[in-house]
């Protein structure tokens, strides 16, 4: 074990030097007090000496491990959560939460805990700081522990090389086990079916057909109010909405990997064609004039006012708009279809779920129970553990029907994750997501189209998050600057403030001044290291 004083010094120095996320004066007044009030030592064996009768016993005798868990700026581990009590019956491991429930800033609470030097056995946090502090000795590398004591995690990682690569740090070590969303399909293309029917049109299957349908939505008064107020294309995502449409021309606005070579989307010839087309659509009124600013309420506004024609959005919630708007807009019918095929005839969907979420659980290098902790982690990757994580407690949140868990109706009223979290299930901080759980909260119509997207592999491959060791801070700054520069230019081009045909060469020259070529070389090296993980 490493010396706690050494770890504390390293962490304090790191926090001071990098200012990972500074704690401001608005931090909860009792946050520091809660940190200081933690008992010394990381774990306690319970007084009773019970035999190891638990099915997935991580310890011969019942033990208590301390966990720091604070997430979503509002949730902290609750010792009374039924799901974790049930897990203790399986494993002989009870968790004791140490994060202050009154805190409202998860990152600040994490930083306070780390700077205190009193690091509990298990720490939930975001990926980057977990890896950063892991390299400095605060968290133990999990590679050998997984190989020796976590057969279910090992089996999973062997079957999912993409996950293994995503959680392997630049030094070759794994410092955390993440939350892993299942199913690559997230969002889809929705059209007003009632408008298509009224205008006797079919859902478009090509870019040209899409353009013609949007023109008809704009010009043929499908809402029947005698006004030219229809907004054919709207979107809730201010910052990234154009990504949904750039892929129609196989264009991207960031890193792209083609045949093993790392490239940059804005430098590819199809980028200019795609942006010119979107600018044309905007000028003709096919795209919401406030698409860069309207924000998350866009769907409610456009549909509630009966002016919106199509959008690209999440399947489950968007299908629910038909029921939500039935009294305000009688006959409103949003239906999902495949994206129109691109110029090369290939169908692409720009959105997909990330391989892993950006957070997970680590094990403290000062814990006396590292082996027990990894065995506890492994339980959550068993059939019973995964069911407990995703569906909660049988007889309370779900029932077994024909050999499979079926969520109770009350769990499907409102927001499913919030309902499950009340019982400690599906925290979405660690473990596997069971896609069947999500499907139970989605209408049969949405399920059908989602399966079409999945089976036909419409979702494009997202570039991996590349990890570079000892990267020049200047390159990181320039990466941020390039992102902002491209975003600003895209907005100007689409809004018509500038013409991409007139200043594209100047745009490319500026990217080169911002060291895009040097950055691509570094990314290529990092990508080759990434794919070397086996």
């Amino acid at each position: 074990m490493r010396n706690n004083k050494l770890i504390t010094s390293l962490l304090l120095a790191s926090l001071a030097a990098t200012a990972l996320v500074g704690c401001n004066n608005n931090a909860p007044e009792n946050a520091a007090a809660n940190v200081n009030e933690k008992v010394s030592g990381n774990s306690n064996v319970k007084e009773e000496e019970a035999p190891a009768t638990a099915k997935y016993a991580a310890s011969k005798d019942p033990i208590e491990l301390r966990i720091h868990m604070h997430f979503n700026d509002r949730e902290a581990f609750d010792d009374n959560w039924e799901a974790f009590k049930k897990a203790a019956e399986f494993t002989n491991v009870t968790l004791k939460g140490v994060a202050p429930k009154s805190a409202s800033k998860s990152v600040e609470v994490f930083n306070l805990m780390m700077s205190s030097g009193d690091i509990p056995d298990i720490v939930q946090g975001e990926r980057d700081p977990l890896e950063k502090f892991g390299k400095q000795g605060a968290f133990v590398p999990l590679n050998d522990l997984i190989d020796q004591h976590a057969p279910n995690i090992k089996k999973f990682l062997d079957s999912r090389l993409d996950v293994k690569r995503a959680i392997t740090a630049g030094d070759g070590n794994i410092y955390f086990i993440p939350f892993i969303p299942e199913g690559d399909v997230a969002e889809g293309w929705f059209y007003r079916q009632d408008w298509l029917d009224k205008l006797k049109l079919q859902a478009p299957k090509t870019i040209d057909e899409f353009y013609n349908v949007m023109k008809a939505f704009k010009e043929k008064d499908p809402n029947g109010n005698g006004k030219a107020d229809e907004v054919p294309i709207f979107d809730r995502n201010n910052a990234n909405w154009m990504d949904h449409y750039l892929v129609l021309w196989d264009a991207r606005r960031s890193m792209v990997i083609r045949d093993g070579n790392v490239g940059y989307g804005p430098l590819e010839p199809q980028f200019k064609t795609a942006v010119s087309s979107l600018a044309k659509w905007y000028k003709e009124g096919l795209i919401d004039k406030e698409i860069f600013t309207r924000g998350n309420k866009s769907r409610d506004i456009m549909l509630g006012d009966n002016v919106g024609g199509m959008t690209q959005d999440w399947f489950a919630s968007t299908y629910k708009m038909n029921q939500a708007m039935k009294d305000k807009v009688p006959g409103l019918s949003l239906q999902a279809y495949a994206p129109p095929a691109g110029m090369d005839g290939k169908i692409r969907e720009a959105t997909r779920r990330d391989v892993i979420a950006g957070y997970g659980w680590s094990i403290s290098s000062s814990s006396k129970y590292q082996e027990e902790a990894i065995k506890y982690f492994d339980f959550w990757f068993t059939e019973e553990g995964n069911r407990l994580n995703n569906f909660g407690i049988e007889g309370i949140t779900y029932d077994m029907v024909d050999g499979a868990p079926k969520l109770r109706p009350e769990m499907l009223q409102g927001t499913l994750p919030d309902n499950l979290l009340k019982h400690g299930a599906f925290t979405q901080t660690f473990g596997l997501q069971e896609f069947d759980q999500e499907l139970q909260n989605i209408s049969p119509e949405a399920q059908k189209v989602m399966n079409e997207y999945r089976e036909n592999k419409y979702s494009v491959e997202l570039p991996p998050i590349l990890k570079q060791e000892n990267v020049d801070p200047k390159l990181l700054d320039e990466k941020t600057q390039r992102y902002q520069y491209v975003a600003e230019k895209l907005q100007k081009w689409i809004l018509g403030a500038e013409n991409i045909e007139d200043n594209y060469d100047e745009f490319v020259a500026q990217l080169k001044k911002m060291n895009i070529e040097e950055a691509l070389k570094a990314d290529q090296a990092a990508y080759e290291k990434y794919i070397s993980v086996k």
Side-chain angles (χ1 to χ4, degrees):
M1 301 297 173
R2 296 177 181 267
N3 185 283
N4 280 343
K5 292 183 178 179
L6 175 59
I7 295 172
T8 302
S9 299
L10 282 169
L11 297 176
L12 288 171
S14 175
L15 286 168
T18 62
L20 180 63
V21 176
C23 298
N24 59 38
N25 292 330
N26 294 321
E29 290 182 357
N30 63 341
N34 275 284
V35 170
N36 292 329
E37 288 172 4
K38 296 172 185 174
V39 297
S40 60
N42 283 332
S43 311
N44 297 297
V45 177
K46 290 187 174 181
E47 291 182 1
E48 64 267 27
E49 294 295 328
T53 57
K55 184 175 182 180
Y56 298 103
S59 170
K60 178 181 178 181
D61 301 313
I63 61 172
E64 181 180 273
L65 302 183
R66 297 165 64 223
I67 181 171
H68 172 94
M69 179 193 284
H70 197 288
F71 55 102
N72 294 339
D73 289 335
R74 60 187 174 87
E75 302 291 349
F77 186 86
D78 189 331
D79 297 348
N80 295 314
W81 276 341
E82 298 107 305
F84 285 91
K85 288 185 176 181
K86 179 62 68 174
E89 295 176 13
F90 279 110
T91 64
N92 274 346
V93 175
T94 298
L95 299 188
K96 176 69 174 178
V98 299
K101 295 180 181 179
S102 59
S104 59
K105 296 292 183 181
S106 297
V107 172
E108 289 181 359
V109 176
F110 176 89
N111 286 343
L112 283 168
M113 179 272 299
M114 294 300 297
S115 64
S116 75
D118 181 16
I119 304 173
D121 301 277
I122 299 170
V123 173
Q124 174 268 326
E126 296 183 1
R127 170 178 48 202
D128 289 347
L130 291 179
E131 287 191 349
K132 174 186 176 66
F133 290 123
K135 293 173 185 177
Q136 296 175 0
F139 303 120
V140 66
L142 302 179
N143 309 51
D144 290 342
L145 287 170
I146 291 171
D147 287 344
Q148 297 169 18
H149 305 293
N152 293 289
I153 294 177
K154 179 175 172 55
K155 180 180 178 181
F156 173 77
L157 292 179
D158 287 344
S159 70
R160 286 290 303 274
L161 186 56
D162 56 341
V163 174
K164 187 174 183 179
R165 287 172 170 171
I167 64 174
T168 299
D171 63 0
N173 288 319
I174 294 172
Y175 292 105
F176 74 106
I177 302 298
F179 173 67
I180 304 146
E182 185 182 5
D184 56 3
V185 175
E187 303 177 32
W189 289 56
F190 285 82
Y191 300 94
R192 287 287 295 273
Q193 186 65 47
D194 50 324
W195 287 12
L196 291 172
D197 293 342
K198 182 175 182 179
L199 300 179
K200 296 181 171 55
L201 297 171
Q202 299 294 318
K205 295 184 178 180
T206 67
I207 294 179
D208 289 340
E209 290 180 5
F210 178 78
Y211 173 77
N212 291 332
V213 168
M214 294 304 102
K215 288 283 284 186
F217 279 2
K218 181 66 179 174
E219 298 171 354
K220 296 187 177 181
D221 193 28
N223 67 11
N225 66 0
K227 302 176 183 179
D229 57 354
E230 286 83 357
V231 180
I233 301 169
F234 64 92
D235 200 290
R236 293 192 294 162
N237 194 328
N238 290 349
N240 302 318
W241 69 269
M242 70 286 291
D243 293 332
H244 303 158
Y245 305 94
L246 289 173
V247 295
L248 295 176
W249 292 267
D250 195 21
R252 310 288 195 278
R253 62 171 176 146
S254 57
M255 183 177 71
V256 61
I257 297 174
R258 301 190 189 277
D259 299 323
N261 296 311
V262 177
Y264 193 58
L267 298 179
E268 297 181 321
Q270 61 265 40
F271 179 81
K272 183 164 67 170
T273 303
V275 175
S276 296
S277 299
L278 292 179
K280 177 178 181 290
W281 293 1
Y282 184 88
K283 185 177 181 180
E284 294 179 1
L286 306 186
I287 298 175
D288 180 15
K289 292 295 183 184
E290 299 179 38
I291 198 162
F292 284 103
T293 57
R294 198 183 295 274
N296 196 48
K297 293 294 183 181
S298 174
R299 188 174 61 182
D300 293 332
I301 295 170
M302 294 291 103
L303 296 177
D305 291 344
N306 196 21
V307 295
M310 75 80 53
T311 193
Q312 203 277 358
D313 212 321
W314 290 86
F315 283 101
S317 64
T318 306
Y319 262 111
K320 288 181 179 180
M321 296 303 293
N322 292 320
Q323 179 68 21
M325 294 289 174
K326 66 177 182 144
D327 295 331
K328 191 171 185 179
V329 186
L332 183 147
S333 176
L334 270 174
Q335 298 297 324
Y337 289 91
M343 299 297 290
D344 57 0
K346 184 174 181 179
I347 297 175
R348 297 180 180 88
E349 164 55 41
T351 62
R352 70 180 299 150
R353 301 180 191 217
D354 292 330
V355 172
I356 64 169
Y359 31 81
W361 289 12
S362 293
I363 299 174
S364 170
S365 60
S366 60
S367 172
K368 298 178 181 179
Y369 295 96
Q370 295 173 11
E371 180 180 323
E372 290 82 356
I374 198 67
K375 289 180 178 179
Y376 179 76
F377 284 15
D378 196 59
F379 158 72
W380 293 102
F381 283 76
T382 66
E383 181 179 351
E384 286 92 340
N386 194 41
R387 184 187 305 148
L388 180 62
N389 183 22
N390 282 273
F391 292 92
I393 312 298
E394 184 177 1
I396 298 178
T397 59
Y398 77 91
D399 298 299
M400 293 298 290
V401 178
D402 297 328
K406 184 175 178 60
L407 291 164
R408 290 191 163 189
E410 59 268 27
M411 290 293 103
L412 302 178
Q413 301 299 316
T415 304
L416 175 60
D418 289 345
N419 292 337
L420 288 170
L421 185 59
K422 293 175 183 177
H423 303 273
F426 203 52
T427 66
Q428 302 182 74
T429 64
F430 169 86
L432 295 168
Q433 178 186 20
E434 181 67 47
F435 197 58
D436 287 345
Q437 176 242 62
E438 182 173 340
L439 287 178
Q440 292 187 28
N441 193 36
I442 295 175
S443 70
E445 289 177 307
Q447 290 185 34
K448 180 180 178 180
V449 184
M450 288 178 76
N451 286 331
E452 177 189 349
Y453 274 60
R454 295 182 75 191
E455 292 168 4
N456 291 288
K457 302 185 183 303
Y458 293 151
S459 297
V460 299
E461 290 290 334
L462 297 178
I465 296 174
L466 301 180
K467 301 169 183 178
Q468 300 172 356
E469 293 294 290
N470 304 316
V471 63
D472 185 346
K474 181 182 178 183
L475 279 180
L476 295 178
D477 290 341
E478 288 170 343
K479 182 178 181 180
T480 300
Q481 292 168 14
R482 281 194 303 272
Y483 179 86
Q484 294 172 342
Y485 176 66
V486 171
E488 290 169 2
K489 296 299 285 189
L490 267 171
Q491 183 165 340
K492 289 180 179 178
W493 287 328
I494 292 173
L495 295 179
E498 293 182 6
N499 189 326
I500 190 172
E501 298 290 345
D502 295 336
N503 61 15
Y504 181 72
D505 290 343
E506 177 186 336
F507 168 72
V508 172
Q510 181 60 32
L511 289 175
K512 290 181 178 179
K513 289 180 181 178
M514 300 169 81
N515 288 324
I516 182 59
E517 293 171 329
E518 182 181 351
L520 288 176
K521 290 178 182 178
D523 284 341
Q524 183 69 42
Y527 177 68
E528 291 171 2
K529 186 172 184 179
Y530 167 84
I531 61 176
S532 71
V533 174
K534 302 298 182 184

